[in-house]
Amino acid sequence: MQIKCEYCGSMIEETADKCPFCGATNNAVKRTADKTPKTIAELQQWYQDRHLPPYETTRFFIGINYKKPKAFGIYQDGDQFIVYKNKATANVPSAIRVRMKLMLSMNFI
């Protein structure tokens, strides 16, 4: 399959390390090669492997629809990922709630 080079816009093979036209690095290949988490489970494992503090300390909730104030997180709802940031007070609805189709998966994290 071909994709568009992020730098020059030429169509290149998705498996190419670099664009044959401009020499720019194909970041899609890098994301696959550098073990970037692509699922909620992989992101949770990445978090644990780095011995990061508990979610309640970092206020970053992975795989949890956390509704209390001052929180940021991501969870899966059916075929969509929900990324959210909750405001400082519990009486105010979430500041941001974004839905992404599963086909986009975690490629943007």
Side-chain angles (χ1 to χ4, degrees):
M1 184 171 132
Q2 289 199 325
I3 59 172
K4 188 180 278 192
C5 170
E6 294 175 7
Y7 186 76
C8 73
S10 298
M11 296 306 290
I12 63 173
E13 290 299 319
E14 67 179 347
T15 56
D17 290 333
K18 294 186 178 196
C19 174
F21 301 99
C22 71
T25 301
N26 179 357
N27 290 328
V29 170
K30 181 180 180 301
R31 283 191 290 267
T32 301
D34 71 3
K35 309 261 189 273
T36 300
K38 293 174 184 57
T39 67
I40 296 293
E42 287 177 5
L43 184 57
Q44 288 171 326
Q45 189 62 53
W46 177 92
Y47 193 94
Q48 290 174 358
D49 290 348
R50 282 152 185 79
H51 307 288
L52 296 172
Y55 295 159
E56 291 78 17
T57 302
T58 62
R59 309 303 294 161
F60 179 51
F61 296 87
I62 304 168
I64 301 167
N65 182 9
Y66 191 84
K67 296 188 179 187
K68 293 183 181 178
K70 295 184 181 177
F72 174 78
I74 182 169
Y75 67 95
Q76 190 169 349
D77 182 18
D79 69 342
Q80 297 183 332
F81 288 103
I82 314 301
V83 178
Y84 63 89
K85 178 182 178 187
N86 297 342
K87 288 190 176 187
T89 62
N91 298 334
V92 179
S94 296
I96 302 171
R97 248 184 220 255
V98 179
R99 291 183 173 270
M100 292 182 275
K101 288 283 187 192
L102 186 57
M103 61 185 240
L104 295 177
S105 74
M106 305 279 289
N107 291 333
F108 298 105
I109 293 182

